[in-house]
Amino acid sequence: AHCNPLVGFEKIVEQAMAYDNVIACLVDLVRYVTPLGMDILVYQLLVEVCQENKSRMSDATTYAGWLQHLGTFAGTFYRKYHSLADLQPLLHYLLHKIRSSETSDLVIVQ
């Protein structure tokens, strides 16, 4: 994944959104990633959060599973690699959403 990390991280984030039991293993894999790879992983997290065509809620009171899993993955990732990964892009996106009165994406920082 070092020669084309975008493709690899797209699959890693897709797996994390689909299966919550592999999140810890996927976060551990990031240990071997270059600094460029860390930036691309942050980018891929933003790409997935920003997708408008996915339903954010499974019913009136429950967030969709993919969004909850993505929040768990992002939280675990940033907790473990806080000194290597840039949190600013995700926070900037969330602040923009709060300003526009859309709060469904706040499950990411839960």
Coordinates of all heavy atoms in Angstrom, one line a residue, residues 6-94:
L6 N -4.0 5.4 -1.4 CA -5.4 5.8 -1.5 C -6.3 4.5 -1.7 O -7.3 4.4 -1.0 CB -5.6 6.8 -2.6 CG -7.0 7.4 -2.7 CD1 -7.4 8.1 -1.4 CD2 -7.0 8.4 -3.8
V7 N -5.9 3.6 -2.5 CA -6.7 2.4 -2.8 C -6.7 1.5 -1.6 O -7.8 1.0 -1.2 CB -6.1 1.7 -4.0 CG1 -6.8 0.4 -4.2 CG2 -6.2 2.5 -5.3
G8 N -5.6 1.4 -0.9 CA -5.5 0.5 0.3 C -6.4 1.1 1.4 O -7.1 0.4 2.1
F9 N -6.3 2.4 1.6 CA -7.1 3.0 2.7 C -8.5 3.1 2.4 O -9.4 3.0 3.3 CB -6.5 4.4 3.1 CG -5.2 4.3 3.9 CD1 -4.1 4.9 3.5 CD2 -5.2 3.5 5.0 CE1 -2.9 4.8 4.2 CE2 -4.0 3.4 5.7 CZ -2.9 4.1 5.3
E10 N -8.9 3.1 1.2 CA -10.3 3.1 0.8 C -10.9 1.7 1.3 O -12.0 1.7 1.9 CB -10.5 3.3 -0.7 CG -11.9 3.3 -1.1 CD -12.1 3.5 -2.6 OE1 -11.0 3.6 -3.3 OE2 -13.2 3.4 -3.1
K11 N -10.2 0.7 1.0 CA -10.7 -0.7 1.4 C -10.6 -0.8 2.9 O -11.5 -1.4 3.5 CB -9.8 -1.8 0.8 CG -10.0 -1.8 -0.7 CD -11.4 -2.1 -1.1 CE -11.6 -2.1 -2.6 NZ -13.0 -2.1 -2.9
I12 N -9.6 -0.3 3.6 CA -9.5 -0.4 5.1 C -10.7 0.3 5.7 O -11.3 -0.2 6.6 CB -8.2 0.2 5.5 CG1 -7.1 -0.8 5.2 CG2 -8.2 0.5 7.0 CD1 -5.7 -0.3 5.5
V13 N -11.0 1.5 5.2 CA -12.1 2.3 5.8 C -13.4 1.6 5.5 O -14.3 1.6 6.4 CB -12.1 3.8 5.4 CG1 -13.3 4.5 5.8 CG2 -10.8 4.5 5.9
E14 N -13.6 1.1 4.3 CA -14.8 0.3 4.0 C -15.0 -0.9 4.9 O -16.1 -1.1 5.4 CB -14.8 -0.2 2.5 CG -15.0 0.9 1.5 CD -14.9 0.4 0.1 OE1 -14.7 -0.8 -0.1 OE2 -15.0 1.2 -0.8
Q15 N -13.9 -1.6 5.2 CA -14.0 -2.7 6.1 C -14.4 -2.3 7.5 O -15.1 -3.0 8.2 CB -12.7 -3.5 6.1 CG -12.4 -4.2 4.8 CD -13.5 -5.3 4.4 OE1 -13.8 -6.1 5.3 NE2 -14.0 -5.2 3.2
A16 N -13.8 -1.2 7.9 CA -14.1 -0.7 9.3 C -15.5 -0.3 9.4 O -16.2 -0.4 10.4 CB -13.2 0.5 9.6
M17 N -16.1 0.3 8.3 CA -17.5 0.7 8.3 C -18.4 -0.5 8.3 O -19.5 -0.4 8.8 CB -17.8 1.6 7.2 CG -17.2 3.0 7.3 SD -17.6 4.2 6.0 CE -18.0 3.3 4.6
A18 N -18.0 -1.6 7.7 CA -18.9 -2.7 7.6 C -18.8 -3.7 8.8 O -19.8 -4.2 9.2 CB -18.5 -3.5 6.3
Y19 N -17.6 -3.8 9.4 CA -17.4 -4.8 10.5 C -16.7 -4.1 11.6 O -15.6 -3.8 11.6 CB -16.6 -6.0 10.0 CG -17.0 -6.6 8.7 CD1 -16.4 -6.4 7.5 CD2 -18.2 -7.4 8.7 CE1 -16.8 -6.9 6.3 CE2 -18.6 -7.9 7.5 CZ -17.9 -7.7 6.3 OH -18.4 -8.3 5.2
D20 N -17.5 -4.0 12.7 CA -16.9 -3.3 13.9 C -15.9 -4.2 14.7 O -15.1 -3.6 15.4 CB -18.0 -2.8 14.8 CG -18.8 -3.9 15.4 OD1 -18.8 -5.0 14.8 OD2 -19.4 -3.7 16.5
N21 N -15.9 -5.5 14.5 CA -15.0 -6.3 15.2 C -13.6 -6.3 14.6 O -12.7 -6.9 15.3 CB -15.5 -7.8 15.2 CG -15.8 -8.3 13.9 OD1 -15.8 -7.6 12.9 ND2 -15.9 -9.7 13.8
V22 N -13.3 -5.7 13.5 CA -12.0 -5.7 12.9 C -11.3 -4.3 13.1 O -10.2 -4.1 12.7 CB -12.0 -6.1 11.4 CG1 -12.4 -7.5 11.2 CG2 -12.8 -5.1 10.6
I23 N -12.0 -3.4 13.8 CA -11.5 -2.0 13.9 C -10.1 -2.0 14.6 O -9.2 -1.3 14.1 CB -12.5 -1.1 14.5 CG1 -13.7 -0.9 13.6 CG2 -11.9 0.2 15.0 CD1 -14.8 -0.1 14.2
A24 N -10.0 -2.7 15.7 CA -8.7 -2.7 16.4 C -7.6 -3.2 15.6 O -6.5 -2.6 15.6 CB -8.9 -3.5 17.7
C25 N -7.8 -4.3 14.8 CA -6.8 -4.8 13.9 C -6.4 -3.8 12.8 O -5.2 -3.7 12.5 CB -7.2 -6.1 13.3 SG -7.5 -7.4 14.5
L26 N -7.4 -3.2 12.3 CA -7.1 -2.2 11.2 C -6.3 -1.0 11.7 O -5.5 -0.5 11.0 CB -8.4 -1.8 10.5 CG -9.2 -2.8 9.8 CD1 -10.5 -2.3 9.3 CD2 -8.4 -3.4 8.6
V27 N -6.7 -0.5 12.9 CA -5.9 0.6 13.5 C -4.5 0.1 13.8 O -3.5 0.9 13.6 CB -6.6 1.1 14.8 CG1 -5.8 2.1 15.5 CG2 -7.9 1.7 14.4
D28 N -4.3 -1.1 14.2 CA -2.9 -1.6 14.4 C -2.1 -1.6 13.1 O -0.9 -1.4 13.2 CB -2.9 -2.9 15.1 CG -3.3 -2.9 16.6 OD1 -3.1 -1.8 17.1 OD2 -3.7 -3.9 17.1
L29 N -2.8 -1.9 12.0 CA -2.1 -1.9 10.7 C -1.5 -0.6 10.4 O -0.5 -0.5 9.7 CB -3.0 -2.4 9.6 CG -3.4 -3.8 9.6 CD1 -4.5 -4.0 8.5 CD2 -2.3 -4.7 9.3
V30 N -2.1 0.5 10.8 CA -1.6 1.8 10.5 C -0.2 2.1 11.1 O 0.5 3.0 10.6 CB -2.7 2.9 11.0 CG1 -2.2 4.3 10.7 CG2 -4.0 2.6 10.3
R31 N 0.2 1.3 12.0 CA 1.5 1.5 12.6 C 2.6 1.5 11.5 O 3.7 2.1 11.7 CB 1.8 0.4 13.6 CG 3.1 0.3 14.2 CD 3.3 -0.8 15.1 NE 2.1 -1.6 15.3 CZ 2.0 -2.8 15.9 NH1 3.1 -3.4 16.3 NH2 0.9 -3.4 16.0
Y32 N 2.5 0.8 10.4 CA 3.5 0.6 9.4 C 3.3 1.6 8.3 O 4.0 1.5 7.2 CB 3.4 -0.8 8.9 CG 3.5 -1.8 9.9 CD1 2.5 -2.6 10.3 CD2 4.8 -2.1 10.6 CE1 2.6 -3.5 11.3 CE2 4.9 -3.0 11.6 CZ 3.8 -3.7 12.0 OH 3.9 -4.6 13.0
V33 N 2.5 2.6 8.4 CA 2.2 3.6 7.3 C 3.2 4.8 7.4 O 3.6 5.2 8.5 CB 0.8 4.0 7.5 CG1 0.4 5.1 6.5 CG2 -0.1 2.8 7.2
T34 N 3.5 5.3 6.3 CA 4.3 6.5 6.2 C 3.5 7.7 6.6 O 2.3 7.7 6.6 CB 4.9 6.7 4.7 OG1 3.7 6.9 3.9 CG2 5.6 5.4 4.3
P35 N 4.2 8.9 6.8 CA 3.4 10.1 7.1 C 2.5 10.5 6.0 O 1.4 11.0 6.3 CB 4.5 11.1 7.3 CG 5.7 10.4 7.8 CD 5.6 9.0 7.0
L36 N 2.9 10.3 4.7 CA 1.9 10.5 3.6 C 0.7 9.6 3.7 O -0.4 10.0 3.5 CB 2.6 10.3 2.3 CG 1.7 10.4 1.1 CD1 1.2 11.8 0.9 CD2 2.4 10.0 -0.2
G37 N 0.9 8.4 4.1 CA -0.2 7.5 4.3 C -1.2 7.9 5.4 O -2.4 7.8 5.3
M38 N -0.6 8.5 6.5 CA -1.5 9.0 7.6 C -2.4 10.1 7.0 O -3.5 10.2 7.3 CB -0.6 9.6 8.7 CG 0.1 8.5 9.5 SD -1.1 7.7 10.6 CE 0.0 6.8 11.6
D39 N -1.8 11.0 6.2 CA -2.6 12.1 5.7 C -3.7 11.6 4.7 O -4.8 12.1 4.7 CB -1.7 13.1 4.9 CG -0.8 13.9 5.8 OD1 -1.1 14.0 7.0 OD2 0.2 14.4 5.3
I40 N -3.3 10.5 4.0 CA -4.3 10.0 3.1 C -5.4 9.2 3.8 O -6.6 9.3 3.4 CB -3.6 9.0 2.0 CG1 -2.8 9.9 1.1 CG2 -4.6 8.2 1.3 CD1 -1.9 9.2 0.1
L41 N -5.1 8.6 4.9 CA -6.1 8.0 5.8 C -7.1 9.0 6.3 O -8.3 8.8 6.3 CB -5.5 7.2 6.9 CG -6.5 6.5 7.8 CD1 -7.4 5.6 7.0 CD2 -5.7 5.7 8.8
V42 N -6.5 10.2 6.8 CA -7.4 11.3 7.2 C -8.3 11.7 6.1 O -9.5 12.0 6.3 CB -6.5 12.4 7.8 CG1 -7.4 13.6 8.1 CG2 -5.8 12.0 9.1
Y43 N -7.7 11.9 4.9 CA -8.5 12.3 3.7 C -9.6 11.3 3.5 O -10.8 11.6 3.2 CB -7.6 12.4 2.5 CG -8.3 12.5 1.2 CD1 -9.0 13.7 0.8 CD2 -8.5 11.4 0.4 CE1 -9.7 13.8 -0.4 CE2 -9.2 11.5 -0.8 CZ -9.8 12.6 -1.2 OH -10.5 12.7 -2.3
Q44 N -9.3 10.0 3.5 CA -10.3 9.0 3.2 C -11.4 8.9 4.3 O -12.6 8.7 4.0 CB -9.6 7.6 3.2 CG -10.5 6.5 2.6 CD -11.0 6.8 1.2 OE1 -10.3 7.3 0.4 NE2 -12.3 6.5 0.9
L45 N -11.1 9.2 5.6 CA -12.1 9.3 6.6 C -13.1 10.5 6.2 O -14.3 10.3 6.4 CB -11.5 9.6 8.0 CG -10.8 8.4 8.6 CD1 -10.1 8.9 9.9 CD2 -11.8 7.4 9.0
L46 N -12.5 11.6 5.8 CA -13.4 12.7 5.4 C -14.2 12.4 4.2 O -15.4 12.8 4.1 CB -12.5 14.0 5.1 CG -11.9 14.7 6.4 CD1 -11.0 15.7 6.0 CD2 -13.0 15.2 7.2
V47 N -13.7 11.7 3.2 CA -14.4 11.3 2.1 C -15.7 10.5 2.5 O -16.8 10.8 2.0 CB -13.6 10.6 1.1 CG1 -14.4 9.9 0.0 CG2 -12.6 11.5 0.4
E48 N -15.5 9.6 3.3 CA -16.6 8.7 3.8 C -17.6 9.5 4.6 O -18.8 9.3 4.4 CB -16.1 7.5 4.5 CG -15.2 6.5 3.7 CD -16.0 5.9 2.6 OE1 -17.2 5.8 2.6 OE2 -15.4 5.6 1.6
V49 N -17.2 10.4 5.4 CA -18.1 11.1 6.3 C -18.9 12.1 5.4 O -20.1 12.3 5.7 CB -17.3 11.9 7.4 CG1 -18.3 12.9 8.1 CG2 -16.8 10.9 8.4
C50 N -18.3 12.7 4.4 CA -18.9 13.7 3.5 C -19.9 13.1 2.5 O -20.6 13.9 1.9 CB -17.9 14.5 2.8 SG -16.8 15.5 3.9
Q51 N -20.0 11.8 2.3 CA -20.9 11.3 1.3 C -22.3 11.6 1.7 O -22.8 11.2 2.7 CB -20.7 9.8 1.2 CG -19.4 9.5 0.5 CD -19.3 8.0 0.2 OE1 -20.2 7.2 0.4 NE2 -18.1 7.6 -0.4
E52 N -23.0 12.3 0.8 CA -24.4 12.7 1.0 C -25.4 11.6 0.6 O -26.5 11.6 1.1 CB -24.7 14.0 0.2 CG -23.9 15.2 0.6 CD -24.2 15.6 2.0 OE1 -25.4 15.5 2.4 OE2 -23.4 16.2 2.7
N53 N -25.0 10.6 -0.2 CA -25.9 9.6 -0.7 C -26.2 8.5 0.4 O -27.0 7.7 0.1 CB -25.5 9.0 -2.0 CG -24.1 8.4 -1.9 OD1 -23.4 8.5 -0.9 ND2 -23.7 7.6 -2.9
K54 N -25.4 8.5 1.5 CA -25.6 7.5 2.5 C -26.6 8.0 3.6 O -26.4 9.1 4.0 CB -24.3 7.0 3.1 CG -23.4 6.3 2.2 CD -22.2 5.8 2.9 CE -21.3 4.9 2.1 NZ -20.2 4.4 2.8
S55 N -27.5 7.1 4.0 CA -28.4 7.5 5.1 C -27.6 7.6 6.4 O -26.9 6.7 6.8 CB -29.5 6.5 5.2 OG -30.3 6.8 6.3
R56 N -27.8 8.7 7.1 CA -27.1 8.9 8.4 C -27.9 8.2 9.6 O -27.3 7.9 10.6 CB -27.0 10.4 8.7 CG -26.2 11.1 7.7 CD -24.8 11.4 8.1 NE -24.0 12.3 7.4 CZ -23.3 11.9 6.3 NH1 -23.4 10.7 5.9 NH2 -22.5 12.8 5.7
M57 N -29.2 8.0 9.4 CA -30.0 7.5 10.5 C -30.6 6.2 10.0 O -31.1 6.1 8.9 CB -31.1 8.5 10.9 CG -30.6 9.8 11.2 SD -29.6 9.9 12.7 CE -30.9 9.9 14.0
S58 N -30.6 5.2 10.9 CA -31.3 3.9 10.6 C -32.8 4.0 10.9 O -33.6 3.3 10.3 CB -30.7 2.7 11.3 OG -30.8 2.9 12.7
D59 N -33.1 4.8 11.9 CA -34.5 5.1 12.1 C -34.5 6.5 12.8 O -33.5 7.2 12.7 CB -35.2 4.1 13.0 CG -34.5 3.8 14.4 OD1 -34.1 4.8 15.0 OD2 -34.5 2.7 14.8
A60 N -35.6 6.9 13.4 CA -35.7 8.3 13.9 C -34.7 8.6 15.0 O -34.4 9.8 15.2 CB -37.1 8.5 14.4
T61 N -34.3 7.6 15.8 CA -33.4 7.9 16.9 C -32.1 7.2 16.9 O -31.3 7.4 17.8 CB -34.2 7.5 18.2 OG1 -34.4 6.1 18.2 CG2 -35.4 8.2 18.4
T62 N -31.8 6.4 15.9 CA -30.6 5.6 15.9 C -29.7 5.9 14.7 O -30.2 6.0 13.6 CB -30.9 4.1 15.9 OG1 -31.8 3.8 17.0 CG2 -29.6 3.3 16.1
Y63 N -28.4 6.2 15.0 CA -27.5 6.4 13.9 C -27.3 5.1 13.1 O -27.3 4.0 13.6 CB -26.2 6.9 14.4 CG -26.2 8.3 14.9 CD1 -26.2 8.6 16.2 CD2 -26.4 9.4 14.0 CE1 -26.2 9.9 16.7 CE2 -26.4 10.7 14.5 CZ -26.4 10.9 15.8 OH -26.5 12.2 16.3
A64 N -27.0 5.3 11.8 CA -26.7 4.1 11.0 C -25.5 3.4 11.4 O -24.5 4.0 12.0 CB -26.6 4.5 9.5
G65 N -25.4 2.1 11.2 CA -24.3 1.3 11.7 C -23.0 1.7 11.1 O -21.9 1.8 11.8
W66 N -23.0 2.1 9.8 CA -21.7 2.5 9.2 C -21.2 3.7 9.8 O -19.9 3.9 9.9 CB -21.9 2.6 7.7 CG -22.7 3.9 7.3 CD1 -24.0 3.9 7.1 CD2 -22.2 5.2 7.0 NE1 -24.4 5.2 6.7 CE2 -23.3 6.0 6.7 CE3 -20.9 5.7 7.1 CZ2 -23.1 7.3 6.4 CZ3 -20.8 7.1 6.8 CH2 -21.9 7.9 6.5
L67 N -22.0 4.7 10.2 CA -21.6 5.9 10.8 C -21.0 5.7 12.2 O -20.0 6.2 12.6 CB -22.7 6.9 10.8 CG -22.3 8.3 11.2 CD1 -21.3 8.9 10.3 CD2 -23.6 9.2 11.2
Q68 N -21.7 4.8 13.0 CA -21.2 4.4 14.3 C -19.8 3.7 14.2 O -18.9 4.0 14.9 CB -22.2 3.5 15.0 CG -23.5 4.3 15.4 CD -24.4 3.3 16.1 OE1 -24.2 2.1 16.2 NE2 -25.6 3.9 16.5
H69 N -19.7 2.8 13.2 CA -18.4 2.1 13.1 C -17.3 3.0 12.6 O -16.2 2.9 13.1 CB -18.6 1.0 12.1 CG -19.6 -0.1 12.5 ND1 -20.1 -1.0 11.6 CD2 -20.1 -0.4 13.7 CE1 -20.9 -1.8 12.2 NE2 -20.9 -1.4 13.5
L70 N -17.7 4.0 11.7 CA -16.7 5.0 11.3 C -16.2 5.8 12.4 O -15.1 6.2 12.6 CB -17.3 5.8 10.1 CG -16.3 6.7 9.4 CD1 -15.2 5.9 8.8 CD2 -17.0 7.6 8.4
G71 N -17.2 6.2 13.3 CA -16.8 7.0 14.5 C -15.9 6.2 15.4 O -15.0 6.8 16.0
T72 N -16.2 4.9 15.6 CA -15.3 4.1 16.4 C -13.9 4.0 15.8 O -12.9 4.1 16.5 CB -15.9 2.7 16.6 OG1 -17.2 2.8 17.2 CG2 -15.1 1.8 17.5
F73 N -13.9 3.8 14.5 CA -12.6 3.7 13.9 C -11.8 5.0 14.0 O -10.6 5.0 14.3 CB -12.8 3.3 12.4 CG -11.5 3.2 11.6 CD1 -10.6 2.1 11.7 CD2 -11.1 4.3 10.7 CE1 -9.5 2.1 11.0 CE2 -9.9 4.2 10.0 CZ -9.1 3.1 10.2
A74 N -12.5 6.1 13.7 CA -11.8 7.4 13.8 C -11.3 7.7 15.2 O -10.2 8.2 15.4 CB -12.7 8.5 13.3
G75 N -12.1 7.4 16.2 CA -11.8 7.7 17.6 C -10.6 6.8 18.0 O -9.6 7.3 18.6
T76 N -10.6 5.6 17.6 CA -9.5 4.7 18.0 C -8.2 5.1 17.3 O -7.1 5.1 17.8 CB -9.9 3.2 17.6 OG1 -11.1 2.9 18.2 CG2 -8.8 2.2 18.1
F77 N -8.4 5.4 16.0 CA -7.2 5.9 15.2 C -6.6 7.1 15.8 O -5.4 7.2 16.0 CB -7.7 6.1 13.8 CG -6.7 6.8 12.9 CD1 -5.5 6.2 12.5 CD2 -6.9 8.1 12.5 CE1 -4.6 6.9 11.7 CE2 -6.0 8.8 11.7 CZ -4.8 8.2 11.3
Y78 N -7.4 8.1 16.1 CA -6.8 9.4 16.6 C -6.3 9.2 18.0 O -5.4 9.9 18.4 CB -7.9 10.5 16.5 CG -8.0 11.1 15.1 CD1 -9.1 11.0 14.4 CD2 -6.9 11.8 14.6 CE1 -9.2 11.6 13.1 CE2 -7.0 12.4 13.3 CZ -8.1 12.3 12.6 OH -8.2 12.8 11.3
R79 N -6.9 8.4 18.8 CA -6.4 8.2 20.1 C -5.1 7.5 20.1 O -4.2 7.9 20.9 CB -7.4 7.3 20.9 CG -7.2 7.3 22.4 CD -8.3 6.5 23.1 NE -9.7 6.9 22.7 CZ -10.6 6.1 22.2 NH1 -10.3 4.8 22.0 NH2 -11.8 6.5 21.8
K80 N -4.9 6.6 19.2 CA -3.6 5.9 19.2 C -2.5 6.6 18.5 O -1.3 6.6 18.9 CB -3.8 4.5 18.5 CG -2.6 3.6 18.6 CD -2.9 2.2 18.3 CE -1.7 1.3 18.5 NZ -2.1 -0.1 18.4
Y81 N -2.8 7.4 17.4 CA -1.8 8.1 16.6 C -2.0 9.6 16.7 O -1.8 10.3 15.6 CB -1.9 7.6 15.2 CG -1.7 6.1 15.1 CD1 -2.7 5.2 14.8 CD2 -0.4 5.5 15.3 CE1 -2.5 3.8 14.7 CE2 -0.2 4.2 15.2 CZ -1.3 3.3 15.0 OH -1.0 2.0 14.9
H82 N -2.3 10.1 17.8 CA -2.6 11.6 17.9 C -1.4 12.4 17.6 O -1.6 13.6 17.1 CB -3.1 11.9 19.3 CG -2.2 11.6 20.4 ND1 -1.1 12.4 20.8 CD2 -2.1 10.4 21.1 CE1 -0.4 11.8 21.8 NE2 -1.0 10.6 22.0
S83 N -0.2 11.9 17.8 CA 1.0 12.7 17.4 C 1.3 12.6 16.0 O 2.1 13.5 15.5 CB 2.1 12.3 18.3 OG 2.5 10.9 18.0
L84 N 0.8 11.7 15.2 CA 1.2 11.5 13.8 C 0.1 11.9 12.9 O 0.4 12.3 11.7 CB 1.5 10.0 13.6 CG 2.7 9.4 14.4 CD1 2.8 7.9 14.1 CD2 4.0 10.1 14.0
A85 N -1.2 11.8 13.3 CA -2.3 12.1 12.4 C -2.8 13.5 12.7 O -2.9 14.0 13.9 CB -3.4 11.1 12.6
D86 N -3.2 14.2 11.7 CA -3.7 15.6 11.8 C -5.2 15.6 12.0 O -6.0 15.1 11.2 CB -3.4 16.4 10.5 CG -3.7 17.8 10.6 OD1 -3.9 18.3 11.8 OD2 -3.6 18.5 9.6
L87 N -5.7 16.1 13.2 CA -7.1 16.1 13.6 C -7.8 17.3 13.0 O -9.0 17.4 12.9 CB -7.2 16.0 15.1 CG -8.6 15.9 15.7 CD1 -9.3 14.7 15.2 CD2 -8.5 15.9 17.2
Q88 N -7.0 18.3 12.6 CA -7.6 19.6 12.2 C -8.6 19.4 11.0 O -9.7 20.1 11.1 CB -6.5 20.6 11.8 CG -7.0 21.9 11.5 CD -5.9 22.9 11.3 OE1 -4.7 22.5 11.3 NE2 -6.2 24.2 11.0
P89 N -8.4 18.7 10.0 CA -9.3 18.6 8.9 C -10.7 18.0 9.3 O -11.7 18.6 8.9 CB -8.7 17.6 7.9 CG -7.3 17.7 8.1 CD -7.1 17.9 9.6
L90 N -10.7 17.0 10.2 CA -12.0 16.5 10.7 C -12.7 17.5 11.6 O -13.9 17.6 11.4 CB -11.7 15.2 11.4 CG -12.9 14.4 11.9 CD1 -13.8 14.0 10.7 CD2 -12.5 13.2 12.7
L91 N -12.0 18.2 12.4 CA -12.6 19.2 13.3 C -13.1 20.3 12.4 O -14.2 20.9 12.7 CB -11.6 19.7 14.3 CG -11.2 18.7 15.4 CD1 -10.2 19.3 16.3 CD2 -12.4 18.2 16.2
H92 N -12.4 20.7 11.4 CA -12.9 21.8 10.5 C -14.2 21.4 9.8 O -15.1 22.2 9.8 CB -11.8 22.1 9.5 CG -12.2 23.2 8.6 ND1 -12.2 24.5 9.0 CD2 -12.5 23.2 7.3 CE1 -12.6 25.3 8.0 NE2 -12.8 24.5 6.9
Y93 N -14.3 20.2 9.4 CA -15.5 19.7 8.7 C -16.6 19.7 9.7 O -17.8 20.1 9.4 CB -15.3 18.3 8.2 CG -16.5 17.6 7.7 CD1 -17.1 17.9 6.5 CD2 -17.1 16.6 8.5 CE1 -18.3 17.3 6.1 CE2 -18.3 16.0 8.2 CZ -18.9 16.4 7.0 OH -20.1 15.8 6.6
L94 N -16.4 19.2 10.9 CA -17.5 19.1 11.9 C -17.9 20.5 12.3 O -19.1 20.7 12.5 CB -17.0 18.3 13.1 CG -16.8 16.8 12.9 CD1 -16.2 16.1 14.1 CD2 -18.1 16.1 12.5

